[in-house]
Amino acid sequence: MAKVTEAYDSVMNGRYSEPVRYVVFGVLNVIITWVAYAVFVIVGIPPVVSNALSWVVGVIVAFVCNKFWVFDSKSVDRDTVEREAVTFFAERVFTGVLAIVTFWFLYDIGINQFIFGLEGFYAKILTSGMEIVLNFFISKYYVFKSRNEPQE
């Protein structure tokens, strides 16, 4: 059991802990977003609106997870939280728009192959990968940067 505890500690608190926690909470966030979408549809909200609402739920959940558990930004000072929340939301809107444009571009230049029976899914995978990497680095070095700077 000690080896399991050591392995867990090494993964979650070691050299690569932020990217690992980012992936873990990212998967959790996807599940929460899908469940939110399903609940919104089940209660009668149209799918397009449900998708938008589930995206908002996902951004809120991602903010909380990234702030407290991924990037360890423990400040609950109102000004800090407001700055982080606004920049986090703006960053997600920016990378979301970038993902839409990038998908369109990739699809338009011919990266529109079927994968898993879905047309254009290869472009979607490439676009999502770019979006995930950008979100990580923007969150780490811009949104939650105060945690990464030396404390005085």
Side-chain angles (χ1 to χ4, degrees):
M1 187 65 167
K3 294 229 185 247
V4 172
T5 304
E6 283 180 37
Y8 173 83
D9 189 54
S10 175
V11 169
M12 296 306 281
N13 300 312
R15 182 175 181 186
Y16 301 107
S17 62
E18 281 181 349
V20 168
R21 289 190 309 252
Y22 187 78
V23 169
V24 168
F25 284 106
V27 169
L28 175 65
N29 191 40
V30 167
I31 293 166
I32 290 168
T33 303
W34 288 353
V35 168
Y37 173 80
V39 168
F40 292 139
V41 169
I42 288 168
V43 299
I45 298 172
V48 172
V49 176
S50 293
N51 185 50
L53 291 173
S54 69
W55 180 83
V56 171
V57 168
V59 171
I60 292 167
V61 169
F63 173 74
V64 172
C65 291
N66 280 292
K67 176 174 178 47
F68 293 109
W69 296 294
V70 175
F71 298 109
D72 204 28
S73 176
K74 299 295 187 198
S75 174
V76 290
D77 170 66
R78 183 178 181 184
D79 290 339
T80 301
V81 172
E82 283 179 2
R83 179 193 60 79
E84 290 174 341
V86 168
T87 55
F88 188 85
F89 190 82
E91 170 249 332
R92 292 301 167 113
V93 169
F94 167 74
T95 58
V97 169
L98 186 63
I100 290 167
V101 171
T102 302
F103 175 84
W104 173 80
F105 174 76
L106 292 173
Y107 187 89
D108 194 52
I109 65 168
I111 302 177
N112 54 8
Q113 297 79 9
F114 280 79
I115 298 179
F116 306 120
L118 300 169
E119 183 179 7
F121 202 64
Y122 188 66
K124 180 67 174 167
I125 291 169
L126 292 173
T127 301
S128 295
M130 173 208 65
E131 188 177 11
I132 290 165
V133 170
L134 278 174
N135 283 337
F136 176 81
F137 285 107
I138 292 170
S139 290
K140 179 174 177 63
Y141 294 110
Y142 184 68
V143 177
F144 302 110
K145 69 179 179 178
S146 62
R147 183 225 169 237
N148 298 312
E149 294 173 353
Q151 302 295 321
E152 296 179 12

